[in-house]
Amino acid sequence: MNSPFRQPPEFTTRPTLRGTFGMVSSTHWLASAAAQSVLERGGNAFDAAVAGGFVLHVVEPHLNGPGGDMSTLVSTEDGGTRVLMGQGPAPASATIEHYRSEGLDAVPGSGALAAAVPGAVDAWLLLLADRGTMELRDVLSYAIHYARHGHPVLDRVCRTIAAVEDLFTEHWPDSAQLWMPQGRVPLPGELVTNPGYADTLERLIEASDGEPTRSHRIGAARNVWAQGFVADAIGANAARVHRHSSGTDHAGVITAADVGSFSASWEEPVTLNFRGHTISKTGPWGQGPVLLQTLAILDGFDDSRLDPGTALGVHTITEALKLAMADRDAYYGDPADPEAVPLETLLSPEYAAHRRTLIGESASEEFLPGTIDGCDAYVPPLVTLDEWDESRGDSAGGAAVGEPTVGDHGQTRGDTCHIDVVDKWGNMIAATPSGGWLQSSPAIPELGFCLGTRLQMTWLDEAAPSALRPGSRPRTTLTPTLVSKNGRVVEALGSPGGDQQEQGQLLYLLRRLVGGYTPQEAIDAPAFHTTSLAASFWPRTWEPAGLVVEDRLGPECLTELARRGHRITRAGDWSLGRLCTVGRDNEGVLFAAANPRGMQGYASGR
């Protein structure tokens, strides 16, 4: 391979799958298998993704759930690209004044006060209605089977439950009953069920019986979710006083009316051209433009500075990411006026060229958002984890807080979920569901799930572009990607990991589009991410010049990075990232690849 990058290893952990019928990649093998089964039964990529997405609710409950949210990019055979927005807003009573009156200076990382309106289920159902072909009963049958009859529980699920066992038994008894039904933490591989969620899905199907068309049947299910028993149960349970990650007790503010006010919707993507490809992302209500900003900055460097396998490449990429992440926290959000986010300037070549000049030979320890005429750059509170521990203490019980991802000091706590599908007709989808994980808030017994915690990504500061505002979406981290060439989408990808999502995808795209790596080579290659940013998850700390690395980058590379001032946290050889991808090459051959780390994500296809 003639590549400007360090050569990939001769062998990969797995092959890049290739075929002509259909391909799936997801963060759990059962979701991949369910989605592939739908393709085999004649469904398209969107039918398959919905089936796999609902299975993820059941088999990765520590990473996502029906009470969470979802960001999705889709492309159809005609080449059009759209964003499916499944991010619910803050409830009507979620005001800064209310949270301050509760004695809080930040939105908690767990508990119903952190809950945005659930958006994932309505988004999946809208996708099925508008782009799918199959009946709701058929695509939900996989999730119902695993919820009703059981699935072998993951070791990581068991470890998550064990980390919050005391919280469940002392404060969240409904969660203890759901996730510890025998009075103990389940054992890895033990069959676990969720009859409450199976009942919920079956009631959605029953609500659609008798409707004249497929569209009407799916619409009836969406309506009963938003206006019926689900919304009622959410409102009633959130109103109960319970323990939050702040170590204090509060009632939530979300109501049945809030749930009923939300509908998922279609939006245009934000795009950037990079090395002959068009990269499509969500708008600045998510962190999607961070990837585009970073690529725009890096596009002005020689290829040799873009290699994630060398010290110079790691340094350059990390410093570019810091600049884009600072702009994220200074400018991104969901304001009442969409023009309030200066996205055109942030993605302009002139702005990228100026930002590029700020990358020096040493690691920056500063928070450096850009200066834009007519806009005030917001500087969030910048507190290190050690400072926060000293001033507040950790009263929340470990894994109950924030997003279950790789921690500031490299410790693994899990992450989010992802699924990609491409079919023989050329349809393609990249979907990142998250939130509503089992440790988010007390379980709602009759529904079999709990609420999410996305509001922790807002600030209790009116000056912030991502301030807590009723009816506004929190600035989420969920950020799938589509890649197009010559007007045709050629790849769908995404990765769990909160603030690391864009970072992992950036390394992948550089290795693919500049380095010429195959999909599996790009996934297997050593990874790293910066923690020199204002973390999106409670307690919102940052680590100046922090860099978490896989040891496989090598001792010479790590020594040079440390010499440049990066504060290195070594996370082992195979620990960072869970990227998935599918696509179609120039000859029309389909491909898929999945991350081997954690031995959980799998690709399938033929």
Side-chain angles (χ1 to χ4, degrees):
M1 178 183 67
N2 183 18
S3 170
F5 286 8
R6 187 172 71 174
Q7 297 295 308
E10 184 177 353
F11 299 103
T12 58
T13 59
R14 307 168 178 180
T16 296
L17 304 186
R18 300 188 183 276
T20 57
F21 178 78
M23 292 280 168
V24 179
S25 180
S26 88
T27 50
H28 195 291
W29 63 84
L30 290 179
S32 295
Q36 187 68 32
S37 174
V38 168
L39 294 177
E40 300 292 346
R41 294 167 63 185
N44 66 16
F46 310 120
D47 298 313
V50 174
F54 276 93
V55 169
L56 288 173
H57 289 165
V58 179
V59 300
E60 290 194 301
H62 60 316
L63 309 178
N64 84 135
D69 26 51
M70 181 176 74
S71 291
T72 308
L73 279 99
V74 306
S75 174
T76 54
E77 55 188 311
D78 62 6
T81 301
R82 301 293 300 280
V83 173
L84 173 58
M85 192 284 295
Q87 177 55 62
S93 296
T95 64
I96 291 175
E97 293 74 19
H98 176 75
Y99 286 63
R100 292 289 189 186
S101 72
E102 293 282 309
L104 299 168
D105 56 12
V107 177
S110 66
L113 276 177
V117 177
V121 168
D122 192 66
W124 283 124
L125 296 182
L126 178 62
L127 175 67
L128 184 65
D130 287 0
R131 302 295 178 98
T133 64
M134 295 179 68
E135 291 288 345
L136 181 63
R137 182 183 302 276
D138 295 327
V139 297
L140 293 187
S141 64
Y142 302 89
I144 291 172
H145 170 83
Y146 291 123
R148 179 75 65 197
H149 301 292
H151 68 280
V153 67
L154 294 168
D155 173 66
R156 291 188 178 187
V157 175
C158 300
R159 281 188 275 148
T160 299
I161 297 171
V164 290
E165 180 179 4
D166 291 344
L167 174 70
F168 282 7
T169 56
E170 295 176 18
H171 299 288
W172 297 0
D174 289 332
S175 295
Q177 179 59 41
L178 176 58
W179 300 111
M180 301 160 55
Q182 300 181 51
R184 59 169 175 80
V185 176
L187 302 175
E190 188 174 355
L191 283 181
V192 298
T193 63
N194 188 343
Y197 191 44
D199 291 343
T200 296
L201 295 181
E202 288 175 345
R203 290 182 69 179
L204 295 182
I205 294 169
E206 291 168 2
S208 69
D209 288 344
E211 296 292 337
T213 67
R214 191 184 78 93
S215 178
H216 283 91
R217 287 187 282 277
I218 299 171
R222 293 180 70 194
N223 185 67
V224 77
W225 172 275
Q227 307 287 343
F229 74 96
V230 174
D232 290 342
I234 287 174
N237 280 267
R240 299 173 181 172
V241 175
H242 56 278
R243 179 59 48 91
H244 284 59
S245 63
S246 54
T248 51
D249 297 334
H250 311 272
V253 295
I254 189 171
T255 66
D258 291 316
V259 179
S261 68
F262 174 76
S263 292
S265 60
W266 296 100
E267 298 181 357
E268 293 297 322
V270 178
T271 62
L272 181 87
N273 293 323
F274 177 79
R275 304 299 173 93
H277 294 77
T278 299
I279 315 300
S280 295
K281 302 293 291 185
T282 69
W285 53 267
Q287 71 171 339
V290 165
L291 178 63
L292 306 184
Q293 281 194 248
T294 310
L295 287 172
I297 294 170
L298 294 175
D299 203 18
F301 288 111
D302 292 339
D303 289 353
S304 61
R305 293 198 64 168
L306 307 186
D307 186 351
T310 67
L312 179 61
V314 174
H315 171 74
T316 304
I317 293 164
T318 298
E319 295 304 297
L321 276 165
K322 291 180 193 177
L323 295 172
M325 286 292 190
D327 282 341
R328 179 196 72 174
D329 294 308
Y331 296 113
Y332 290 16
D334 185 28
D337 178 10
E339 301 300 319
V341 180
L343 195 58
E344 184 175 351
T345 298
L346 291 169
L347 295 178
S348 68
E350 296 79 12
Y351 185 79
H354 174 71
R355 300 292 274 162
R356 194 177 304 123
T357 65
L358 300 178
I359 298 177
E361 294 301 311
S362 299
S364 171
E365 296 188 8
E366 298 181 77
F367 181 84
L368 292 173
T371 301
I372 299 177
D373 290 342
C375 297
D376 294 326
Y378 179 71
V379 178
L382 298 172
V383 180
T384 67
L385 186 61
D386 289 342
E387 291 170 338
W388 187 85
D389 284 342
E390 290 176 4
S391 64
R392 297 287 299 274
D394 184 1
S395 57
V401 305
E403 184 182 34
T405 184
V406 178
D408 289 341
H409 296 286
Q411 71 274 23
T412 299
R413 289 159 50 191
D415 37 48
T416 290
C417 305
H418 189 79
I419 185 168
D420 301 312
V421 188
V422 58
D423 63 30
K424 61 185 177 183
W425 299 287
N427 300 307
M428 211 174 302
I429 179 170
T432 307
S434 185
W437 37 75
L438 65 87
Q439 63 274 32
S440 292
S441 60
I444 305 172
E446 60 268 45
L447 300 182
F449 62 84
C450 62
L451 294 173
T453 60
R454 196 59 60 183
L455 293 188
Q456 68 183 288
M457 308 182 75
T458 64
W459 296 103
L460 298 184
D461 182 350
E462 289 285 358
S466 55
L468 178 66
R469 298 183 182 92
S472 290
R473 293 168 291 185
R475 195 272 303 144
T476 180
T477 52
L478 308 181
T479 177
T481 301
L482 291 182
V483 180
S484 303
K485 187 173 184 179
N486 299 325
R488 188 183 71 175
V489 175
V490 296
E491 193 157 359
L493 64 140
S495 173
D499 292 317
Q500 292 97 52
Q501 287 189 27
E502 296 292 18
Q503 304 192 51
Q505 293 178 69
L506 174 67
L507 304 186
Y508 177 86
L509 289 174
L510 291 174
R511 285 172 168 135
R512 288 279 287 142
L513 304 185
V514 183
Y517 284 30
T518 67
Q520 195 64 50
E521 287 172 344
I523 288 174
D524 284 0
F528 58 88
H529 67 256
T530 179
T531 52
S532 186
L533 47 81
S536 295
F537 295 90
W538 191 89
R540 310 301 300 269
T541 57
W542 89 311
E543 185 179 359
L547 185 64
V548 182
V549 301
E550 287 187 329
D551 293 358
R552 289 183 297 128
L553 283 169
E556 291 184 4
C557 178
L558 299 184
T559 298
E560 172 61 15
L561 290 169
R563 187 193 68 79
R564 288 177 177 266
H566 296 279
R567 298 176 182 173
I568 304 295
T569 297
R570 299 174 63 162
D573 285 342
W574 294 87
S575 59
L576 305 180
R578 290 176 65 206
L579 192 140
C580 302
T581 187
V582 300
R584 178 174 56 180
D585 68 17
N586 293 333
E587 286 72 44
V589 175
L590 310 180
F591 64 82
N595 176 58
R597 298 164 179 87
M599 298 184 291
Q600 187 174 315
Y602 275 88
S604 64
R606 67 176 179 87

